[in-house]
Amino acid sequence: MNDLPLFAPWSDAQTSLKAARSIEPHIARLERHVMTALSEAGEKGLCDHELEQITGLQHTTASARRRELVLKGLVVETGERRTTPSGRSAKAWRVA
């Protein structure tokens, strides 16, 4: 599932690249986990905070895997927004 290149986008490129390489063997499994949760949510989809609760993944992991699935065209916005626990508005995502 992972055709996206590894890259280190932040100022500490060595640390970011090392982190990216350490998760690379797990990306396909994590993406399947996220896709399963989104698929089970149906048309209403899930916001990232809901995805974190359902999958048990940390925010950075859940949102990164969801983003990669969006870039691959496998996940799209539902057009809805919901309120996060902190009171902010968040986009909901669903399987394309």
Side-chain angles (χ1 to χ4, degrees), residues 10-28:
W10 310 110
S11 60
D12 187 355
Q14 285 298 87
T15 300
S16 294
L17 189 55
K18 187 174 180 179
R21 285 193 176 128
S22 74
I23 199 165
E24 186 176 20
H26 309 284
I27 289 175

Side-chain angles (χ1 to χ4, degrees), residues 52-63:
E52 295 158 29
Q53 290 175 327
I54 290 169
T55 62
L57 298 174
Q58 292 182 352
H59 173 75
T60 52
T61 302
S63 62

Side-chain angles (χ1 to χ4, degrees), residues 7 35 39 86:
F7 63 93
M35 282 293 285
S39 180
S86 64

